[in-house]
Amino acid sequence: MNKRSLAITTGAVVAAGAGVLAVGIGTIFAGLARDALRAERAVDDGPDDLLAVPTVEPERIPVDAVGGARLNVERYAPAEAGDGDIVVMVHGWTCNIAYWYPQINHLARTHDVVAYDQRGHGTSQLGRTRPTIAMLGQDLDAVLSAVVPEGRRAILVGHSMGGMTIMSWAAQYPEKVGSLVSGVALTSTAAKAVMQNHLLIPVDLPRYTKPFESAVSKLFTSTPMPIPRTAYGSRFSHYIALGPNARKAHVDFVDEMIAGCPPRSRAGWGSAMGKLDVTAGLDALTVPTTVVVGTDDRLTPPVHAEQMAEVLRRSGNLRELIVLDGVGHMSSIEADVRFNEILDDIVAESARASSPVT
């Protein structure tokens, strides 16, 4: 075969391969779009007052973190909170402090509450360093150093990437867990293989699409493209992030929050989660730890919660595994009243455990 024939053959093979790739990926995205648009509409039963912007004005604390990033930290510290545990809440991928409005509105008038924008989210800077899972834990350590005074402890509450943040922190700073933390809530999260176990891709697609599922996952999480704002956008947010019977107020709130995440930050952290393994952090969580998950969570399905709970159970540190029926990934928004009750129980138990015996 001469050089010209070889070049033609090579070009044809490459073009054919690209065509097959495009067909495979296109079929998967078409199936996802089909299921999203066929799914039940969100229930329009009016606003949820717990999603309102908190009327209590927080103290804003700038915290400098590794890689030249400054984090936006907000603290609600009413006088009646006293010197009890500080509830520190860590949001997930593509969210921001507003994710925790239902919990802030519930707790902030009576308890010391801290929430912060993860690096590259909300008004926190992304910094100059490529995002890594280790960096999440280092950022949390910087926040805890700034907001937890000597002699007090924190209750850590993490959702999705926020739960991964807590486990990353515990793995890197195991010596601080017992002295600095009194309890943990890991909500709609995973310790490993998060990209391999999601349930976003429809199960009834042709067999030829199977080899392309990994490529679709990477495109979905790691491409720094703006999310187009269309009339159907909230339908996709509903399908991906919330349960089938979610309220319209919750879907619209989540859709707006996700759309506000900068594409570069979304892609950077999506890529970092592809290498997730923070199981060492579970072993380091030597305090009562509650695991919460929704039955209809497509992003971190219940198999992750069960795996984490089993590790914690073996070490004697599982407080409870709580499964919320019909709830999707945004569990502490979708089931905000129930989740607030869970938090109340955790805070009360922590207070009883730290009270001196008389």
Side-chain angles (χ1 to χ4, degrees):
M1 182 180 292
N2 59 36
K3 290 183 178 179
R4 183 171 181 274
S5 297
L6 179 62
I8 292 172
T9 302
T10 302
V13 170
V14 170
V20 170
L21 180 66
V23 170
I25 290 176
T27 300
I28 292 174
F29 275 115
L32 194 155
R34 175 205 65 197
D35 284 5
L37 295 176
R38 286 179 180 177
E40 290 290 328
R41 295 290 190 100
V43 179
D44 190 357
D45 59 354
D48 182 351
D49 292 341
L50 285 171
L51 290 177
V53 176
T55 56
V56 178
E57 187 67 26
E59 174 191 5
R60 288 176 171 80
I61 306 169
V63 172
D64 292 323
V66 297
R70 174 162 286 191
L71 307 180
N72 173 53
V73 181
E74 296 185 2
R75 180 172 189 169
Y76 299 81
E80 56 268 36
D83 57 358
D85 292 336
I86 302 167
V87 181
V88 178
M89 299 185 290
V90 194
H91 70 74
W93 182 54
T94 72
C95 298
N96 53 56
I97 287 174
Y99 177 84
W100 297 113
Y101 279 176
Q103 287 65 56
I104 293 171
N105 281 317
H106 177 67
L107 290 172
R109 293 189 181 277
T110 55
H111 294 79
D112 203 339
V113 177
V114 170
Y116 69 98
D117 288 323
Q118 293 260 39
R119 178 186 296 254
H121 295 70
T123 59
S124 287
Q125 298 170 348
L126 183 60
R128 299 181 298 272
T129 307
R130 178 188 294 273
T132 66
I133 298 299
M135 190 182 294
L136 290 173
Q138 293 159 14
D139 286 352
L140 175 56
D141 191 63
V143 172
L144 293 175
S145 297
V147 303
V148 182
E150 187 175 352
R152 295 184 68 181
R153 294 195 296 175
I155 295 171
L156 301 181
V157 184
H159 170 259
S160 191
M161 193 174 79
M164 301 168 197
T165 300
I166 293 170
M167 288 180 274
S168 172
W169 173 80
Q172 294 178 79
Y173 308 95
E175 74 284 355
K176 295 185 179 183
V177 174
S179 60
L180 202 57
V181 175
S182 61
V184 171
L186 300 175
T187 307
S188 304
T189 189
K192 64 179 181 179
V194 67
M195 296 304 177
Q196 291 75 31
N197 290 309
H198 65 74
L199 300 178
L200 289 177
I201 296 175
V203 297
D204 61 347
L205 295 178
R207 291 179 60 184
Y208 71 78
T209 63
K210 195 71 178 175
F212 306 107
E213 290 183 0
S214 176
V216 168
S217 295
K218 290 179 181 178
L219 282 171
F220 177 76
T221 58
S222 306
T223 303
M225 294 289 290
I227 297 176
R229 304 296 286 160
T230 71
Y232 298 102
S234 64
R235 302 284 295 277
F236 286 92
S237 294
H238 183 180
Y239 174 81
I240 291 168
L242 295 97
N245 299 311
R247 299 173 60 180
K248 185 176 184 297
H250 295 166
V251 172
D252 290 346
F253 185 85
V254 167
D255 183 56
E256 189 71 26
M257 182 167 51
I258 292 172
C261 181
R264 180 166 164 255
S265 296
R266 185 182 70 246
W269 286 116
S271 178
M273 286 190 290
K275 308 172 185 68
L276 177 72
D277 188 347
V278 288
T279 48
L282 286 172
D283 292 323
L285 287 176
T286 54
V287 296
T289 301
T290 304
V291 179
V292 182
V293 69
T295 58
D296 291 78
D297 188 337
R298 295 182 186 273
L299 293 174
T300 53
V303 63
H304 290 291
E306 292 159 4
Q307 291 169 350
M308 293 187 297
E310 181 55 31
V311 173
L312 293 162
R313 188 179 291 112
R314 289 199 302 264
S315 65
N317 296 309
L318 177 67
R319 176 185 172 272
E320 191 175 3
L321 169 61
I322 299 173
V323 180
L324 302 172
D325 188 46
V327 170
H329 187 64
M330 299 298 189
S331 48
S332 48
I333 288 178
E334 294 176 73
D336 50 14
V337 173
R338 175 70 182 109
F339 191 83
N340 288 345
E341 293 171 349
I342 294 168
L343 274 188
D344 286 343
D345 289 343
I346 294 171
V347 171
E349 287 182 22
S350 179
R352 287 195 295 269
S354 62
S355 297
V357 178
T358 56

